[in-house]
Amino acid sequence: MDKERIRTEVTLKGIRSSGAGGQHVNKVASKMELTFDVANSFGLTPGEKDRIYRKLGNRISKEKILQLQCDTARSQHKNKELVIARLIELLNAAVKVPKKRKKTGPTRTAVEKRLKAKRIGAEKKISRKKPDPH
């Protein structure tokens, strides 16, 4: 995954942020909308694209475009940085291949503990029996 290449392929658009804010909010587009065309990206390998489609399928449109928005900060520049960082973080998480789980057996202590508990339970049940009449 070529992060610098991905940064150049991103399309950013300023939008008016919702919510309260007085006169200033009505004239400033501080909210940033990021669109990233996953299918036509040269910063991703075909294998990485497949992983992204599988992991982020619910966030990607039918045209294979990923959209993110950020209106956390009051500054457009800060929101721009935040939304790009969020995209890179999201793609990193989607592309990451999870480690294979190694099968392990129970530890010697666990086996001994289990057998001891079984032995105690068996002895308890034997002690409940009525004594032999002979």
Side-chain angles (χ1 to χ4, degrees):
M1 187 169 93
D2 187 3
K3 293 175 188 173
E4 292 306 313
R5 187 78 181 254
I6 289 170
R7 286 177 192 265
T8 60
E9 294 173 347
V10 161
T11 308
L12 291 161
K13 188 169 87 175
I15 308 169
R16 285 195 182 149
S17 198
S18 63
Q23 295 171 345
H24 184 70
V25 80
N26 297 329
K27 59 187 178 184
V28 178
S30 60
K31 183 178 189 176
M32 290 304 292
E33 183 180 71
L34 175 144
T35 53
F36 177 63
D37 190 354
V38 181
N40 297 322
S41 174
F42 293 106
L44 298 168
T45 64
E48 289 173 335
K49 288 179 185 178
D50 289 339
R51 287 192 69 79
I52 289 169
Y53 293 143
R54 270 189 274 126
K55 292 267 181 116
L56 303 176
N58 58 338
R59 295 179 130 206
I60 297 175
S61 69
K62 290 175 186 170
E63 296 82 33
K64 307 286 189 216
I65 292 175
L66 177 67
Q67 275 192 325
L68 294 174
Q69 291 182 346
C70 182
D71 63 350
T72 314
R74 288 178 69 179
S75 157
Q76 189 184 61
H77 298 291
K78 185 69 177 166
N79 281 333
K80 184 177 174 182
E81 291 170 18
L82 288 170
V83 78
I84 290 171
R86 197 183 301 160
L87 172 75
I88 298 296
E89 192 178 303
L90 199 64
L91 293 178
N92 272 336
V95 169
K96 195 176 186 181
V97 180
K99 279 187 183 178
K100 292 271 185 182
R101 183 187 175 277
K102 293 180 186 174
K103 287 185 180 178
T104 58
T107 61
R108 185 183 297 146
T109 314
V111 171
E112 288 172 1
K113 201 173 178 183
R114 182 179 61 85
L115 293 174
K116 185 179 177 189
K118 282 181 75 171
R119 201 167 33 251
I120 290 168
E123 287 170 3
K124 201 185 287 181
K125 289 180 181 183
I126 290 169
S127 70
R128 288 182 192 148
K129 282 185 181 177
K130 289 182 180 175
D132 223 8
H134 293 76

